[in-house]
Amino acid sequence: MRLSPDEIIFWQYGVFKLNATIVFTWGLMLVLAVGSKLITRKLSIGLKRARWQNVLEIIVIAIANQIQEVGLNQPNKYLGFLGTLVLFLAMAALCTIIPGYQPPTGSLSTTVALALCVFVAVPLFGIAERGLGAYLKSYAQPTFIMLPFNIISEIPRTLALAVRLFGNMMSGAMIIAILLAITPFIFPVVMMALGLLTGMVQAYIFFILATVYIAAATRVRT
């Protein structure tokens, strides 16, 4: 039994490998890029709009509202980054209904990369909103004794994001694979639907945590 899509090798030349994680990650990004291009090529501001434009607007408004509810008063500043994160994770989970598809989030390398994106984005947004000096001072609050602890806390927070997402995604895929091997088809289908729901919930949790971290970094203390 394969524990990770990293173990599925499609092509190899020496130390260079093309595994399922890379293939499905880039395939998913291509689908998202092409899909967004097709949906947005003929946007309308009138009352008559395409069905896909309505769906897109609902998704964008929902994401923007969630960002604002967490505490970011200008969600449009963060919509590009956070929206991309949640859409990638949601599509990675949604595509599990396709036979032969291996979610790239079942690989620790993918979840670490996503967590590192959040790790880099948090200080960038914080510096952009508060300035370099004010952001760096936040590490010494409420007292300078907390400086090393606040700095060190950034690393386990990033690791926790990666491991949480990887563990939940991989466990769901493993359960479905085991049930397909030892039980009839009906029960695994139910578990697949449950795994799809779990994947969507994990995408939402990752999005909310990333938003909370950015909100904490950009909050101006008075």
Side-chain angles (χ1 to χ4, degrees):
M1 180 183 298
R2 298 184 179 93
L3 298 179
S4 169
D6 290 342
E7 300 176 11
I8 305 175
I9 308 298
F10 293 118
W11 176 84
Q12 181 173 357
Y13 182 77
V15 297
F16 299 100
K17 296 180 181 180
L18 186 65
N19 56 35
T21 301
I22 297 174
V23 171
F24 287 112
T25 296
W26 282 92
L28 190 58
M29 290 192 298
L30 181 62
V31 169
L32 289 172
V34 173
S36 63
K37 182 65 176 178
L38 292 176
I39 294 173
T40 58
R41 73 182 190 277
K42 293 182 180 180
L43 294 179
S44 172
I45 60 174
L47 296 178
K48 186 177 181 181
R49 304 180 184 182
R51 182 180 304 172
W52 284 108
Q53 180 178 343
N54 290 330
V55 173
L56 179 62
E57 289 181 1
I58 291 172
I59 294 173
V60 171
I61 292 173
I63 294 174
N65 288 339
Q66 284 294 314
I67 294 173
Q68 190 168 20
E69 288 177 7
V70 170
L72 295 171
N73 295 324
Q74 295 178 305
N76 290 338
K77 287 184 178 180
Y78 317 97
L79 186 60
F81 175 72
L82 294 171
T84 300
L85 272 183
V86 70
L87 287 177
F88 177 83
L89 291 171
M91 284 298 297
L94 186 61
C95 289
T96 54
I97 61 176
I98 301 175
Y101 171 82
Q102 296 289 330
T105 46
S107 167
L108 186 59
S109 59
T110 302
T111 56
V112 167
L114 292 171
L116 286 176
C117 289
V118 177
F119 178 78
V120 173
V122 168
L124 289 180
F125 283 120
I127 293 171
E129 183 69 22
R130 302 167 59 184
L132 179 60
Y135 178 77
L136 293 178
K137 286 181 181 178
S138 66
Y139 284 97
Q141 293 177 349
T143 173
F144 74 93
I145 298 175
M146 296 299 297
L147 177 62
F149 300 102
N150 287 333
I151 294 175
I152 293 173
S153 67
E154 298 289 337
I155 298 175
R157 185 176 70 181
T158 303
L159 291 176
L161 271 178
V163 173
R164 179 188 294 110
L165 182 61
F166 167 71
N168 285 284
M169 293 297 188
M170 187 192 69
S171 62
M174 286 185 62
I175 291 173
I176 292 172
I178 293 172
L179 290 174
L180 282 171
I182 64 176
T183 63
F185 289 101
I186 297 178
F187 189 66
V189 169
V190 175
M191 290 302 299
M192 186 176 295
L194 181 60
L196 175 60
L197 176 61
T198 302
M200 301 299 287
V201 170
Q202 289 303 314
Y204 177 75
I205 292 174
F206 191 94
F207 160 73
I208 289 296
L209 288 176
T211 307
V212 168
Y213 296 155
I214 293 174
T218 57
R219 185 174 296 116
V220 178
R221 300 181 185 272
T222 58

